[in-house]
Amino acid sequence: AKRTTDATGLVVAPGFIDLLGQSEYAVLVDPRAASKITEAITTEITGEGSSIAPTNERQIAEGEDVWKHYGVRPDWTDLEGYFRAFEKARPAINLGTLVGAGGVRDLVVGKENRPATPEEQAQMEALVDTAMQQGAFGLSTSLQYVPGRFASTAELVGLAKVAAKYGGVYFTHQRSEQREIDASMDEVMTIAREAQIPANIWHFKTACRENWGRMPEMLAKVAAARAAGLDVAVNQYPWPAAMNSLVANLPPWAQEGGTDATLARLKDPATRAKIKAAMRSDDPSWENQFRCSGGAEGVLVGGVLDPKAASASGKTIAQLAKERGVDPEDALFDLLIADHLNPSNILFIMDDKDVETALADPFVAFCTDSGAGALDGILAEPGSHPRGWGSAARILGTYVREKKLLSLEAAVRKMTSLPAIRAGLQARGILRAGMKADLVLFDPETVGTRATYTDPNHYADGIPYVAVNGQLVVDGGKITDARPGVVLR
């Protein structure tokens, strides 16, 4: 060894594996992946529903607001091209991705609510096949959102069979985390069974107050499926609030056709009134997250791209409505128009007890569902979720040390070997001679997070050393210049 580090009092563990990292674009903007490596995340699996590739010029043009804001415009259309961009950027973390069925559907069918034709189904399957050959870990879906919501179970089974042919996995943001969760879980099991593919449910939750307390029942469904021979598991982040795009508060029909069509509806008084009525209704046919969050008080504005609208970040929709003297829905609509549908939001839709029940289950792995941030540079913007800064540290500090909800060994397994198994990663996730040297040394007495919903931007505490592929990316608590991350295929 060229160097020996005194690890007295520290825990040595494999680097943590984030099963929904969301940093595929962020690492091109800032390759340090600072908020991730400082909480010992050394590897990400990503690609929720609409992956970084395949893509085309139409889809790239739709993201122009983001590319201009962050200064990196995609110059690729397939996974191989993205991997070249990743290697050129030299990020600090390892990254593998799934191929998103929603993105593939958008490429071939568009954002319309209709079945794919047999010819379109064949085109989509060919795109998945190419992505798998180029290194995708499997197929992903995000079935709450447009256009993934418009895909039938049969369509998804067909795509999943292609991934299964290559030994791939199936990860899903399932169709419902709310009142239709039973049927949604059945769909996950159907796809796993008919495609003969390992299935994983992302950011598992029982959302909405009427579903609180149902987590044991849902975990029992997973256990029963496993007992019946299906290779099914779930993952979660350890927080009771979710985060997604503010536009997801609109009913699916209002989002159909893409950005311009949605904005036109929001600007038309009659259609706007119809959307408002839909958001206030108790309609089980769609995931009404505005109602699910308890209304305007439960929806906190996250990131906002346009500086002219940035003052809304960190405020609830109720606060915005009061400031402007308008109905809460109108405040939400006006912000969507002002920022071209770009704002994110934090949604208070889960119960702490359900979160803890899932965390204690042995078949629930770890994810953050957030891209990398930083305390400096463009990724230091306000409006992120604390899950992107301190999820691993929260598990170790809050749930292991303070609440004693699970043992240290169980927590480490949840963040290392279990996610490696679920994603199909090789040579990572355990400590053993011959494995890749993704390593973390943390202090079990001080590890934790100061990140909160209103003040998320804090690096984790108590994690002084992190190595990726044998190089220290965090040394003595400081981020180094090392950028040893690799593409995982």
Side-chain angles (χ1 to χ4, degrees), residues 413-430:
R413 170 186 171 270
K414 193 173 287 288
M415 299 189 288
T416 56
S417 59
L418 181 58
I421 290 167
R422 296 315 306 168
L425 291 172
Q426 302 296 316
R428 299 177 198 273
I430 61 173

Side-chain angles (χ1 to χ4, degrees), residues 84-166:
R84 286 194 295 271
F86 179 96
E87 290 166 345
K88 184 178 179 182
R90 295 179 51 248
I93 58 171
N94 309 307
L95 185 140
T97 185
L98 299 109
V99 54
V104 167
R105 182 174 234 273
D106 186 23
L107 266 174
V108 176
V109 181
K111 295 183 175 69
E112 286 70 46
N113 183 5
R114 65 171 178 81
T117 66
E119 293 77 18
E120 289 169 335
Q121 181 73 23
Q123 289 178 54
M124 290 192 289
E125 291 178 9
L127 287 168
V128 172
D129 192 284
T130 298
M132 292 301 299
Q133 290 188 48
Q134 292 180 344
F137 276 79
L139 180 77
S140 76
T141 57
S142 190
L143 302 178
Q144 179 180 334
Y145 307 122
V146 174
R149 189 166 188 83
F150 303 146
S152 67
T153 303
E155 176 182 315
L156 301 176
V157 168
L159 300 181
K161 284 181 176 179
V162 177
K165 182 176 69 173
Y166 292 94

Side-chain angles (χ1 to χ4, degrees), residues 377-422:
I378 196 165
L379 295 186
E381 295 168 320
S384 60
H385 191 299
R387 68 191 185 187
W389 297 82
S391 287
R394 179 174 168 89
I395 290 174
L396 295 170
T398 300
Y399 293 111
V400 172
R401 184 180 64 246
E402 296 173 10
K403 295 194 173 187
K404 297 179 171 51
L405 180 71
L406 67 170
S407 69
L408 179 63
E409 293 85 353
V412 168
R413 170 186 171 270
K414 193 173 287 288
M415 299 189 288
T416 56
S417 59
L418 181 58
I421 290 167
R422 296 315 306 168

